[in-house]
Amino acid sequence: MTSSSTASGASGLGPWSAIVLLAPLTVLMFAILLYPLGLTLWTSLYDGQLSLRAYAELASSTLFLKVLRNTFEIAITGTLVSLVFGYPVAMHLAAQPPRRRTACLVMVMLPFWTSILVKSFALVAVFGNQGLVNQLLGFLSGGQINLPMMFNRVGVVLGMINFLLPFMILSILGSLLALDRRLVLAAETMGAGPLRIFWKIILPLSMPGVVAGVLINVTLSIGMYITPALLGGRQDMMVANLVDFYTRQTLDWTAASATAVALLAISGLLVAMLGRVRGGLSGGAA
């Protein structure tokens, strides 16, 4: 009896103790997350009476469809560029000794130490028309080269890459560090070259990390507000900026709420789809 009760006590808390411990967190989550979401959903449905008018207008709105297309184009572009640059960095980090890898990871995570607002203004100073890069190009070319890299689509993608690249690197690095190096040694013993080893072993086994990085990057990208607002042009408005337009310019809170709910639904659907893909890849790798 004593051993049974001891095991029961060691296995976990009783139901009432768990409720008491989780109650403050539940109330906090309701206050800062569920209540605002519920209020937004209610505002999108109630405009004097319950109706789906706001969603019907949204589905037929040329502005919303154009902004939605911009959002996906920018998000996919930023994600692909982050993948192209992040994968080699992750491979380099995975090949380093643990102590050197730790030092390099500190450098990778440096962007997390600075606000995205500050980083956006810093990018203007670096890539603007009178920024450091264009000043250097002008000096080397005698004033013949001046690249428009800010306040357009290029500026938005550059700002997103600066924010998203660490997430991509860390996601891929986790899969590369979990890779069994004996597989690589066996392939080398059998005469496989570096390119064939990468294509047949490293890339397939790192796909869960790649998909996780893509999931994180796309989900964060489609909700971006500050980067397109500061670094983009008139043609680079994203869905979050459209919500701001409805709330501050037209004062149409019903349309703003419907747009926000649509963005939330798209994000949730994207997470569910990519999560299933990642689960399938992880199951296949296992």
Side-chain angles (χ1 to χ4, degrees):
M1 179 69 69
T2 304
S3 59
S4 175
S5 59
T6 303
S8 175
S11 63
L13 299 172
W16 286 108
S17 300
I19 291 174
V20 171
L21 291 175
L22 292 176
L25 179 60
T26 304
V27 172
L28 181 63
M29 289 293 293
F30 178 81
I32 67 176
L33 180 62
L34 297 181
Y35 175 73
L37 286 178
L39 184 60
T40 302
L41 179 61
W42 173 258
T43 305
S44 69
L45 295 172
Y46 186 80
D47 187 16
Q49 60 180 358
L50 288 175
S51 70
L52 297 175
R53 179 190 61 83
Y55 293 98
E57 293 179 354
L58 205 64
S60 61
S61 171
T62 304
L63 175 61
F64 174 74
L65 295 178
K66 180 180 179 180
V67 170
L68 186 62
R69 184 183 65 202
N70 286 344
T71 300
F72 277 105
E73 288 177 354
I74 294 173
I76 292 173
T77 302
T79 299
L80 291 178
V81 175
S82 298
L83 177 60
V84 169
F85 284 97
Y87 200 103
V89 175
M91 285 192 64
H92 176 73
L93 292 176
Q96 300 304 310
R99 181 173 297 181
R100 185 180 300 175
R101 185 189 307 131
T102 301
C104 293
L105 280 174
V106 172
M107 299 177 64
V108 170
M109 298 177 68
L110 277 177
F112 291 144
W113 299 3
T114 308
S115 165
I116 188 173
L117 182 63
V118 176
K119 289 186 290 186
S120 297
F121 282 113
L123 288 175
V124 174
V126 175
F127 295 106
N129 291 333
Q130 301 300 322
L132 298 177
V133 174
N134 274 320
Q135 287 184 13
L136 178 60
L137 292 175
F139 174 77
L140 295 176
S141 64
Q144 299 298 317
I145 300 179
N146 189 283
L147 301 178
M149 295 181 287
M150 285 288 112
F151 313 116
N152 50 31
R153 183 66 59 88
V154 177
V156 178
V157 173
L158 285 174
M160 284 193 170
I161 293 171
N162 181 267
F163 176 72
L164 299 174
L165 194 56
F167 293 100
M168 183 67 74
I169 293 173
L170 294 175
S171 298
I172 298 174
L173 180 61
S175 290
L176 292 176
L177 291 178
L179 191 149
D180 190 347
R181 293 294 168 182
R182 292 175 296 181
L183 297 174
V184 177
L185 294 176
E188 290 176 346
T189 303
M190 299 181 68
L195 184 59
R196 188 174 182 84
I197 291 174
F198 171 78
W199 190 254
K200 294 294 185 178
I201 298 176
I202 297 177
L203 183 60
L205 292 179
S206 65
M207 284 306 295
V210 171
V211 175
V214 170
L215 165 64
I216 295 171
N217 280 24
V218 174
T219 305
L220 292 175
S221 297
I222 62 177
M224 281 281 189
Y225 168 73
I226 294 177
T227 299
L230 294 180
L231 304 180
R234 291 180 177 269
Q235 302 301 318
D236 303 305
M237 178 183 289
M238 298 179 67
V239 175
N241 305 107
L242 184 61
V243 175
D244 176 71
F245 171 76
Y246 281 135
T247 54
R248 295 204 301 171
Q249 301 296 326
T250 65
L251 302 179
D252 190 344
W253 288 90
T254 304
S257 299
T259 305
V261 172
L263 177 60
L264 178 64
I266 293 170
S267 301
L269 179 62
L270 185 64
V271 170
M273 291 174 58
L274 291 177
R276 291 191 62 181
V277 172
R278 186 191 177 195
L281 290 173
S282 299

